[in-house]
Amino acid sequence: MNLLFPIAFAQESAQTSQPSLIYNLFLFGGMIVLFYLILWRPQAKKNKEHKELVSSISKGDEVMTAGGILGKVTKIGDEYIAVEIAKNTEIKLQRSSILAALPKGTIAQI
């Protein structure tokens, strides 16, 4: 059996080798950089674009909400907007629930 699987004997050393502190700091720093590039930066960019979209909404724009409701903006407040979803039917929504601004005439085509 020793011919197929040779026995490996561990060498004893006077000093046990451990990874250096600098190696651990580089590894930890690299992980932080990866998390920043993969998670935090794209999410911050997406949040910035959404804030710009919500702040650019004006009366008469056609919008789609996060719930999939399409409508035309009729009133704008600081935190809430009124959206007409059918003739003489308005709902009030938080501004942050606006998912997208649609091109003019989209609702008429549907």
Side-chain angles (χ1 to χ4, degrees), residues 3-15:
L3 295 175
L4 295 175
F5 302 106
I7 299 173
F9 295 102
Q11 293 181 352
E12 292 184 23
S13 64
Q15 177 183 2

Side-chain angles (χ1 to χ4, degrees), residues 27-42:
L27 185 64
F28 186 68
M31 289 174 53
I32 289 175
V33 168
L34 279 176
F35 278 123
Y36 172 75
L37 292 174
I38 293 173
L39 296 174
W40 290 321
R41 187 173 176 218

Side-chain angles (χ1 to χ4, degrees), residues 11-71:
Q11 293 181 352
E12 292 184 23
S13 64
Q15 177 183 2
T16 58
S17 63
Q18 295 179 352
S20 69
L21 180 62
I22 295 173
Y23 172 77
N24 287 337
L25 289 176
F26 278 128
L27 185 64
F28 186 68
M31 289 174 53
I32 289 175
V33 168
L34 279 176
F35 278 123
Y36 172 75
L37 292 174
I38 293 173
L39 296 174
W40 290 321
R41 187 173 176 218
Q43 187 64 33
K45 185 177 179 183
K46 185 177 177 182
N47 287 343
K48 182 181 176 185
E49 289 173 358
H50 185 258
K51 277 185 177 182
E52 289 173 0
L53 169 75
V54 169
S55 65
S56 69
I57 296 294
S58 61
K59 187 176 177 180
D61 286 347
E62 295 179 359
V63 295
M64 181 174 68
T65 67
I69 298 172
L70 301 175

Side-chain angles (χ1 to χ4, degrees), residues 50 53-66 69-85 89-101:
H50 185 258
L53 169 75
V54 169
S55 65
S56 69
I57 296 294
S58 61
K59 187 176 177 180
D61 286 347
E62 295 179 359
V63 295
M64 181 174 68
T65 67
I69 298 172
L70 301 175
K72 184 182 278 190
V73 177
T74 57
K75 297 176 190 170
I76 298 178
D78 290 336
E79 289 194 33
Y80 295 96
I81 62 171
V83 177
E84 183 179 34
I85 57 174
T89 306
E90 284 186 355
I91 57 174
K92 291 185 180 179
L93 302 168
Q94 287 183 334
R95 290 181 79 133
S96 62
S97 68
I98 299 298
L99 188 63

